[in-house]
Amino acid sequence: MDFTFSDYQESADFLREKLHGFVPEVLLILGSGLGFLGDTVESPVYVDYGTIPHFRPSTAPDHKGRFVFGTLRGKRVAVMQGRMHCYEGYSMEEAAYGVRVLRLLGADKLIVTNAAGAVNTGFSAGDLMLITDHIKLFDFGPLRGPNLAEFGTRFPDMTAVYTPRLIGLAREVAARQKLTLREGVYMYFPGPQFETPAEVRAARILGADAVGMSTVPETIVAAHCGYEILGVTLCSNMAAGVLPQPLSGAEVNETAEASAPRFSALILGCLEAM
Ligand code: HPA
């Protein structure tokens, strides 16, 4: 379905009433393993997605499905504890709904994280990768349908979706933390099935360093409405066919959990420096 500008406004008005003058600056969309950062927000105000007009609840297991508004590392943040994925049955526009609502509330910086499979054979499971660009070849995009000019132009430029200023800043933070931070291209696959080895080989030939099932709907919408964007991937596993073993959701979760301290330190360091 196509949302109208007034749908977004109604959602924003609902949240504004709950926030009593608090204006978020940074939206954090946290993927597998980092949702706990939402629990560390100071002076938190929690709003469940299901209570917000036009919002769709998140159905993914271990995703709490709520906003946490408050302060983190001195920044006024809105944390999405749990995101919507298209494989849950949402359109890309639905999956990215919160990005536009938060833009109306004043946020103009987005930090987005995910877990993905490493396609680059020079990477290892557990590596963190700064997203420098993405590939989305499948499926209609989130901007399909009437353009909502209040958010942005019909044909938005995608030359620098992942903001060079924030990429530079993340490099500096990683160096200070003596953390190895890979860099590369994230390729979107709709899932929920993992890729076949042939799809992973194709992704590599196309220039991808990691493959995953999220993030791109949100970043396209965020680029359209003028956010500065920082994207970081946890390579929770080597993508299908790279190693002689099948993939499992359990492996993804285990690596995400084991990497959480490094991952959260990087994200919090970037947040502070933004
Ligand atoms: N492919 C797609 N999505 C993923 C993967 C993967 O290998 N690992 C974690 N999320």
Side-chain angles (χ1 to χ4, degrees):
M1 80 169 261
D2 294 328
F3 293 107
T4 63
F5 185 64
S6 68
D7 292 337
Y8 291 102
Q9 274 180 315
E10 280 172 33
S11 304
D13 289 345
F14 175 89
L15 288 170
R16 215 175 270 117
E17 198 152 295
K18 303 239 174 263
L19 294 178
H20 305 291
F22 172 89
V23 176
E25 339 165 51
V26 186
L27 170 60
L28 288 106
I29 304 181
L30 304 172
S32 309
L34 280 194
F36 75 92
L37 279 183
D39 299 325
T40 67
V41 169
E42 296 152 38
S43 316
V45 174
Y46 301 101
V47 185
D48 287 336
Y49 299 152
T51 66
I52 305 169
H54 310 293
F55 226 89
R56 306 284 187 265
S58 164
T59 68
D62 308 327
H63 284 235
K64 284 195 169 126
R66 67 181 184 188
F67 278 108
V68 188
F69 296 94
T71 309
L72 198 55
R73 294 292 169 109
K75 293 289 191 299
R76 296 186 308 276
V77 298
V79 179
M80 286 187 79
Q81 271 188 319
R83 58 146 60 93
M84 288 76 167
H85 306 83
C86 293
Y87 63 70
E88 295 171 78
Y90 303 114
S91 67
M92 282 213 183
E93 191 185 6
E94 287 171 329
Y97 190 81
V99 172
R100 283 177 159 175
V101 172
L102 262 292
R103 188 78 186 91
L104 293 179
L105 290 177
D108 62 1
K109 294 176 197 67
L110 170 66
I111 298 180
V112 59
T113 75
N114 59 57
V119 170
N120 186 322
T121 54
F123 292 2
S124 306
D127 280 355
L128 295 170
M129 183 190 91
L130 190 53
I131 305 177
T132 54
D133 204 347
H134 74 229
I135 300 174
K136 185 205 79 66
L137 298 179
F138 305 104
D139 218 342
F140 294 114
L143 303 177
R144 179 171 186 253
N147 184 50
L148 300 182
E150 295 88 344
F151 286 117
T153 180
R154 170 79 291 187
F155 300 109
D157 177 47
M158 293 279 133
T159 305
V161 173
Y162 304 87
T163 310
R165 179 181 84 82
L166 299 182
I167 288 175
L169 187 147
R171 285 179 186 141
E172 284 169 24
V173 170
R176 265 206 306 275
Q177 296 182 349
K178 302 199 185 339
L179 177 96
T180 304
L181 183 58
R182 310 285 193 180
E183 299 188 11
V185 173
Y186 176 96
M187 183 164 179
Y188 176 79
F189 280 80
Q193 76 285 0
F194 289 118
E195 301 71 27
T196 64
E199 287 167 340
V200 170
R201 284 195 301 274
R204 187 178 301 121
I205 290 166
L206 290 174
D209 297 287
V211 287
M213 308 172 193
S214 67
T215 300
V216 167
E218 295 103 314
T219 58
I220 292 175
V221 163
H224 178 246
C225 65
Y227 276 89
E228 287 193 300
I229 301 170
L230 175 69
V232 184
T233 288
L234 166 68
C235 298
S236 56
N237 54 281
M238 299 310 290
V242 175
L243 301 175
Q245 65 200 40
L247 267 51
S248 78
E251 179 196 2
V252 169
N253 291 335
E254 277 162 31
T255 312
E257 247 169 62
S259 308
R262 270 182 311 131
F263 201 0
S264 60
L266 175 67
I267 294 303
L268 290 172
C270 291
L271 177 66
E272 194 166 0
M274 280 172 116

